[in-house]
């Protein structure tokens, strides 16, 4: 029996814009993703297959609301890895200790899939390069390649074109999430209705703002990075998710230098320079039964 335990970090979007739509209907994006220290833990255990036995892949998860069969992205990642490498003649048990809220815009499923890809690659003595892992990851979801690479990355295409960039400088992040999860496809549909399906007539992507935010990150200037922070999904989600708007205001009132929704929401993060203010804001949110955590940006 061989086991490996990996951290699977969540992500936040420091910038998220839509640049258009491909003929196949997928939206192309332009933005910055940042890995954070709020993590799930994924443990992989391999057991040899005895003569005449078929390999068994099983999964357990501490969040009873998530699927444990082939619908779980971690499970699908294992199958995709074994298909790509021909190394599936082993029993595999995956256990996910879940801390990242599901369907919250923090890539909870994608980061579990990336951890399985990286973990199996390590256990099998690295048959795939990091780029090949990203290619397999992209067949599972647009955020998986980022989760394979981590750190801070400029994200383009449907999420598969990644360029490393400066991380948020050391700071304290408060991440909070309340209410119904947001379906990412439903959020894209709402944006299509608002912005003419991104055919170039109604909406102009904010590429200058992205360049300015990258510059601010390079200089380590948290405040200026906030001046240029943008998430197009806020315009579709905040009007109907009053709790996300309330959390954003609470983070700002609690002393965040800036706050924004992550991905398609409804999770919201606040960037704090002061740790005490961050901790006090988490206490205040938790006292209102709103799940909240203090964490930090993670480099590569
Ligand atoms: P993203 O930010 O990449 O759009 P998200 O945070 O909005 O992702 P996830 O947490 O990845 O969304 O979950 C989306 C859906 O995927 C959920 O409805 C959930 O049932 C399903 N899912 C499958 N596997 C997992 C997993 N291992 N962890 C979390 N969700 C999973």
């Amino acid at each position: 029996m061989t086991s490996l335990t990996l951290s699977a970090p969540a992500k936040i979007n420091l910038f998220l814009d839509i640049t258009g739509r491909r003929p196949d209907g997928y939206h192309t994006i332009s933005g910055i993703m940042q890995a954070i220290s709020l993590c799930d833990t994924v443990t992989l255990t391999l057991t040899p297959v005895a003569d005449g036995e078929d390999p068994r892949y099983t999964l357990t998860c501490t969040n009873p609301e998530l699927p444990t069969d082939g619908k779980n992205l971690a499970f699908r990642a294992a199958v995709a890895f074994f298909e790509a490498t021909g190394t599936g003649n082993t029993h595999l048990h995956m256990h996910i200790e879940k801390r990242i809220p599901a369907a919250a815009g923090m890539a909870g499923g994608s980061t579990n899939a990336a951890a399985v890809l990286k973990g199996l690659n390590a256990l099998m003595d690295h048959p795939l390069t990091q780029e090949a892992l990203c290619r397999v990851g992209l067949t599972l979801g647009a955020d998986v390649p980022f989760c394979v690479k981590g750190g801070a990355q400029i994200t383009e295409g449907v999420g598969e074109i990644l360029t490393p960039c400066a991380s948020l400088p050391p700071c304290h992040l408060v991440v909070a999430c309340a209410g119904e999860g947001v379906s990412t496809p439903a959020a894209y549909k709402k944006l299509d209705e608002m912005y003419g399906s991104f055919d170039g007539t109604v909406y102009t992507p904010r590429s200058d703002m992205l360049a300015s935010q990258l510059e601010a990150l390079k200089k380590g200037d948290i405040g200026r990075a906030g001046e240029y922070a943008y998430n197009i999904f806020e315009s579709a989600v905040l009007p109907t998710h009053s709790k996300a708007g309330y959390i954003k205001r609470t983070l700002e009132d609690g002393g965040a230098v800036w706050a924004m929704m992550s991905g398609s929401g409804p999770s919201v993060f606040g960037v704090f320079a002061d740790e005490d203010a961050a901790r006090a804001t988490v206490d205040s949110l938790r006292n209102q039964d709103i799940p909240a955590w203090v964490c930090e940006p993670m480099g590569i």
Side-chain angles (χ1 to χ4, degrees):
M1 190 169 94
T2 325
S3 274
L4 182 63
T5 297
L6 302 100
S7 276
K11 62 86 177 157
I12 54 174
N13 300 82
L14 305 181
F15 196 98
L16 179 54
D17 200 3
I18 296 177
T19 51
R21 249 183 118 171
R22 300 196 315 197
D24 61 8
Y26 280 94
H27 293 81
T28 51
I29 60 164
S30 168
I32 303 173
M33 282 192 201
Q34 169 75 62
I36 61 174
S37 60
L38 175 65
C39 289
D40 291 341
T41 307
V42 177
T43 301
L44 306 175
T45 305
L46 300 181
T47 317
V49 170
D51 278 348
E53 249 184 349
D54 285 330
R56 278 189 308 277
Y57 310 145
T58 51
L59 186 145
T60 49
C61 179
T62 53
N63 180 342
E65 284 168 19
L66 293 178
T68 52
D69 57 9
K71 291 195 198 83
N72 195 297
L73 269 178
F75 203 112
R76 290 178 50 210
V79 172
F81 179 87
F82 289 142
E83 265 173 25
T85 56
T87 54
N89 192 26
T90 171
H91 297 309
L92 166 66
H93 180 67
M94 293 162 271
H95 178 68
I96 304 172
E97 183 118 19
K98 202 79 197 158
R99 295 182 201 88
I100 304 170
M106 301 179 74
S110 303
T111 191
N112 293 168
V116 168
L117 293 175
K118 289 194 282 190
L120 287 177
N121 203 40
L123 287 166
M124 299 294 174
D125 221 6
H126 299 95
L128 298 183
T129 61
Q130 191 186 58
E131 289 306 322
L133 286 178
C134 287
R135 279 196 294 278
V136 176
L138 186 62
T139 66
L140 305 165
D143 289 344
V144 182
F146 168 78
C147 295
V148 167
K149 292 198 168 173
Q153 309 268 346
I154 304 168
T155 317
E156 294 165 297
V158 296
E160 81 286 16
I161 305 172
L162 297 168
T163 311
C165 65
S167 273
L168 265 181
C171 61
H172 309 281
L173 298 167
V174 173
V175 178
C177 180
E180 291 282 292
V182 171
S183 140
T184 306
Y188 271 115
K189 194 161 168 268
K190 180 89 189 291
L191 288 175
D192 280 337
E193 286 160 17
M194 294 171 68
Y195 299 116
S197 295
F198 298 94
D199 64 359
T201 57
V202 179
Y203 184 75
T204 309
R206 305 189 175 194
S207 49
D208 289 354
M209 271 179 88
L210 173 59
S212 300
Q213 197 191 45
L214 283 167
E215 199 53 40
L217 289 172
K218 213 151 99 185
K219 290 188 178 137
D221 188 333
I222 296 178
R224 276 187 84 75
E227 277 170 41
Y228 299 110
Y230 176 64
N231 180 355
I232 189 171
F233 281 97
E234 284 196 333
S235 60
V237 176
L238 289 185
T240 48
H241 282 69
S242 54
K243 270 210 167 155
Y246 172 75
I247 292 171
K248 188 172 170 176
R249 286 193 300 281
T250 305
L251 294 169
E252 287 164 349
D253 293 346
V257 184
W258 54 284
M260 195 167 73
M261 201 176 78
S262 180
S264 53
S267 66
V268 181
F269 64 94
V271 180
F272 287 75
D274 182 65
E275 184 172 0
D276 291 342
R279 296 207 176 275
T281 306
V282 162
D283 289 344
S284 150
L285 288 165
R286 287 184 177 171
N287 285 338
Q288 301 170 67
D289 284 332
I290 297 174
W293 302 266
V294 181
C295 56
E296 277 92 45
M298 267 178 82
I300 288 178

